[in-house]
Amino acid sequence: MQINTIQTQAYSDQKPGTSGLRKKVKVFQQAHYLANFVQAIFSSLEESDNKTLVIGGDGRYFNRTATQIIVKIAIANGFTDFIIGQGGLLSTPAASHLIRKYNALGGLILSASHNPGGPDEDFGIKYNISNGGPAPEQYTNAFYDYSKSITEYQIADVADIDLNTLGEQQIENINIRIIDPVDDYADLMASLFDFDLLKRVISSGKLSLRFDAMHAITGPYASRILEDILGAPEGSVINATPLEDFGGHHPDPNLAHAKELAELMFSSDAPDFAAASDGDGDRNMILGNNIFVTPSDSLAIIAANAQLAPGYASGISGVARSMPTSQAVDRVAKAMNLPCFETPTGWKFFGNLLDADKITLCGEESFGTGSNHVREKDGLWAVLFWLNILAKKAQPVSQIVTEHWQQYGRDIYCRHDYEAVDSDIANGIMDHLREQIKTLAGQEFGQYTIQYADEFSYTDPIDNSISKQQGIRIGFADGSRIIFRLSGTGTVGATLRIYLEKYEADATQHKQDPQDALAELIKLAEQFCQVKKLTGRVEPTVIT
Ligand code: G1P
Ligand code: ZN
């Protein structure tokens, strides 16, 4: 087999963000752009005898082209065994599972998650390590460093592989396995949840549901598991066919982008339960008849009821949440006497805690929930966990949520995003906040007294690595918080995220609309950051 060495020019913008390298498709289509980054990954990895690589993506535009390029560069860099989802498709959690199940060295996941797809939209690539989780920062920094001075890459001169036919293909000593993207994942789910019980309540119509796959990767997974295996009536999974441009929508499961589903759940035709997932299948949104469950509450409720699912019946070792996620799960952990960790935003920070069995469950306010079954957040897993809880408790979602609040109090929560803000303005806002936090502690603003104001920094309890500048926190004496951070996944300008949280112990106040309950904090947030004033915007781009 001929291996060609291709001369190339380094690009200066290949720094991975919160979750891999994400850029416009047009950027990835520049000469050697993808090849450079893939070579930078392989050249940065330590020598290993393990030559197995998992590859798959969410099916967005450029997925297939990228898969072919990656295979050829990987062959040239010594990989001999490939596990690839049919059609180049794998959900992110399924890819994580395959890396673990087949003891691969790692995997390349092609996705820009919830960002739109298509020739003029976004593409992304992410390397996951042998534990199945996203490469930690020491890796991604090394990839970036290498990419800045790359001069050449290696590529095998072989024909494109057949991505469509299940089974094994050989190219000399290279073994390529095209697998069904759903099979292994469905088996894993069946090992964690009570599928017999779920089949009984779902196929009999006792528990009605709707799942919106948003024309993204969870279509095939949800159709197989919810309809074929668990017996939900055909049509329970909507927008089930993955499309390269997600039908022109944002495949982002939140109240803004899964609007139709949200409207259904607040109408008289609402089924008992509804959920949606994102482009690559790792996010989830949970809804019940007439109720939206915030991801922070969902994590807390799953933790409080974990023993109801067979895979977690013997107990959980601890929980973790990203810093901006509400403190609802902390209250459950305290009551259950479990360790609770606060990590920076991004799933990669949970990996060490999961590997060391310090935690079993973890989650983020950004519609991400997961456990030690893989090393990614997992949309359908969260959906099945909820269904398992609903089936066992035989109560509506709204009752489970309100009773949870009665027991633990409610962390009223919401996030305001200002997207595509001029980068200089956004950086100026953060600098100005950094100045202010030096003197904020102890100051009073109406009913709120500031207890602390700082910039979050995290020391990993396992490897002691330090991650700085992970968001500005303003904490109030009553437990309320305002957090400011800049997104690390956007591809246009900067996105300022403002996270607002207010603790309410009094059950008579739990029915409040979050925007009303948080009105004072929303005003204060603007007072501190002045994003409206500086950008001329009148409201956030997205409220979730
Ligand atoms: C966003 C979310 C974060 C999540 C990441 C990947 O990152 O806020 O919780 O882990 O997407 O799905 P951000 O754009 O805020 O950096
Ligand atoms: Zn995602």
Side-chain angles (χ1 to χ4, degrees):
M1 179 187 316
Q2 190 176 323
I3 305 293
N4 292 328
T5 300
I6 310 290
Q7 302 303 315
T8 186
Q9 291 263 310
Y11 289 89
S12 60
D13 64 346
Q14 298 196 324
K15 185 174 169 57
T18 312
S19 191
L21 184 68
R22 287 188 196 167
K23 301 280 174 195
K24 291 284 170 213
V25 167
K26 295 260 172 349
V27 173
F28 272 102
Q29 285 171 328
Q30 295 173 93
H32 312 304
Y33 190 90
L34 174 68
N36 278 14
F37 189 65
V38 173
Q39 183 65 60
I41 294 173
F42 295 149
S43 295
S44 307
L45 298 177
E46 268 177 32
E47 254 312 298
S48 167
D49 293 340
N50 188 338
K51 302 292 180 201
T52 303
L53 191 67
V54 170
I55 307 173
D58 64 9
R60 67 180 59 229
Y61 185 82
F62 203 55
N63 191 129
R64 278 178 174 262
T65 312
T67 304
Q68 299 290 358
I69 295 172
I70 292 165
V71 169
K72 291 171 193 174
I73 297 177
I75 293 174
N77 280 272
F79 284 94
T80 54
D81 287 273
F82 292 83
I83 297 168
I84 304 175
Q86 188 179 27
L89 299 180
L90 284 177
S91 78
T92 293
S96 180
H97 176 51
L98 291 170
I99 295 169
R100 297 165 65 78
K101 181 167 177 178
Y102 296 107
N103 296 316
L105 178 69
L108 282 164
I109 302 179
L110 310 177
S111 170
S113 188
H114 49 288
N115 294 8
D120 297 317
E121 297 295 353
D122 294 357
F123 187 75
I125 174 168
K126 177 168 92 159
Y127 182 72
N128 279 29
I129 59 175
S130 59
N131 74 351
E137 269 176 349
Q138 61 270 33
Y139 284 79
T140 53
N141 289 339
F143 305 161
Y144 178 47
D145 286 343
Y146 195 95
S147 76
K148 286 189 287 192
S149 54
I150 189 169
T151 55
E152 58 183 38
Y153 64 88
Q154 316 290 319
I155 188 161
D157 187 9
V158 292
D160 279 1
I161 58 166
D162 172 3
L163 285 173
N164 298 329
T165 311
L166 290 175
E168 303 207 353
Q169 297 166 35
Q170 249 85 33
I171 311 174
E172 296 180 22
N173 64 331
I174 312 294
N175 188 33
I176 295 169
R177 276 172 63 193
I178 305 294
I179 61 162
D180 179 280
V182 182
D183 284 350
D184 297 271
Y185 180 82
D187 289 347
L188 176 65
M189 293 301 114
S191 75
L192 298 174
F193 301 111
D194 191 341
F195 269 31
D196 289 334
L197 171 68
L198 288 176
K199 258 183 236 173
R200 278 202 302 279
V201 296
I202 292 173
S203 64
S204 65
K206 269 199 203 127
L207 180 52
S208 56
L209 64 94
R210 188 69 56 90
F211 180 90
D212 189 347
M214 305 190 89
H215 287 303
I217 192 70
T218 47
Y221 292 84
S223 300
R224 172 90 64 85
I225 295 174
L226 300 175
E227 292 186 4
D228 302 351
I229 301 179
L230 299 178
E234 216 185 305
S236 300
V237 178
I238 58 170
N239 300 320
T241 311
L243 298 175
E244 285 195 333
D245 67 349
F246 309 116
H249 302 294
H250 280 250
D252 198 2
N254 59 40
L255 294 175
H257 295 304
K259 217 170 163 207
E260 224 180 291
L261 190 72
E263 276 168 9
L264 169 74
M265 295 313 286
F266 287 90
S267 77
S268 53
D269 297 329
D272 300 318
F273 174 83
S277 190
D278 71 331
D280 62 330
D282 57 359
R283 294 187 173 199
N284 73 91
M285 174 172 69
I286 302 293
L287 296 152
N289 189 333
N290 218 23
I291 187 165
F292 159 67
V293 187
T294 69
S296 298
D297 279 344
S298 173
L299 173 64
I301 291 167
I302 287 175
N305 294 285
Q307 77 289 349
L308 298 180
Y312 305 85
S314 59
I316 56 178
S317 61
V319 294
R321 62 163 171 83
S322 68
M323 182 272 283
T325 302
S326 99
Q327 299 159 92
V329 75
D330 304 30
R331 305 181 201 288
V332 175
K334 196 166 171 219
M336 293 170 77
N337 211 3
L338 289 172
C340 177
F341 297 84
E342 183 177 46
T343 57
T345 296
W347 207 260
K348 57 181 177 252
F349 294 101
F350 295 132
N352 280 347
L353 296 169
L354 290 164
D355 284 349
D357 199 27
K358 298 263 184 213
I359 60 169
T360 306
L361 299 172
C362 45
E364 296 193 272
E365 53 64 44
S366 53
F367 298 82
T369 330
S371 87
N372 59 355
H373 69 292
V374 290
R375 292 295 180 274
E376 291 279 2
K377 55 191 178 245
D378 189 344
L380 259 180
W381 168 90
V383 169
L384 290 165
F385 216 132
W386 265 94
L387 288 171
N388 203 140
I389 293 171
L390 292 171
K392 278 269 186 199
K393 285 178 101 83
Q395 291 171 341
V397 175
S398 57
Q399 189 182 347
I400 291 174
V401 174
T402 43
E403 287 182 1
H404 183 92
W405 290 340
Q406 278 160 14
Q407 187 175 350
Y408 297 97
R410 178 179 180 191
D411 290 89
I412 303 174
Y413 188 84
C414 111
R415 183 176 107 187
H416 288 194
D417 288 345
Y418 291 83
E419 292 176 356
V421 174
D422 176 273
S423 295
D424 290 339
I425 294 182
N427 290 323
I429 288 174
M430 294 307 283
D431 287 341
H432 185 220
L433 286 167
R434 269 181 207 113
E435 269 310 301
Q436 291 177 72
I437 53 176
K438 294 178 187 159
T439 54
L440 277 181
Q443 290 195 41
E444 278 176 41
F445 296 87
Q447 64 174 110
Y448 293 103
T449 306
I450 297 185
Q451 196 173 51
Y452 63 88
D454 62 10
E455 186 158 27
F456 184 55
S457 167
Y458 178 68
T459 304
D460 185 291
I462 312 301
D463 64 18
N464 294 317
S465 59
I466 298 174
S467 303
K468 293 185 178 156
Q469 298 204 326
Q470 297 295 326
I472 304 279
R473 303 192 290 191
I474 300 181
F476 300 90
D478 67 349
S480 300
R481 298 192 304 169
I482 303 175
I483 288 146
F484 302 90
R485 60 178 283 283
L486 295 184
S487 156
T489 59
T491 52
V492 186
T495 295
L496 176 69
R497 303 203 195 283
I498 305 176
Y499 309 81
L500 305 138
E501 172 180 5
K502 179 186 169 158
Y503 180 62
E504 182 59 78
D506 179 358
T508 64
Q509 301 298 312
H510 286 168
K511 286 265 178 261
Q512 286 181 82
D513 180 283
Q515 300 308 310
D516 296 338
L518 296 167
E520 246 346 89
L521 290 173
I522 293 169
K523 263 195 231 149
L524 272 180
E526 174 62 19
Q527 189 175 325
F528 295 136
C529 78
Q530 308 207 326
V531 62
K532 286 186 182 154
K533 192 167 158 212
L534 293 167
T535 60
R537 314 255 178 122
V538 288
E539 55 181 19
T541 325
V542 181
I543 297 180
T544 54

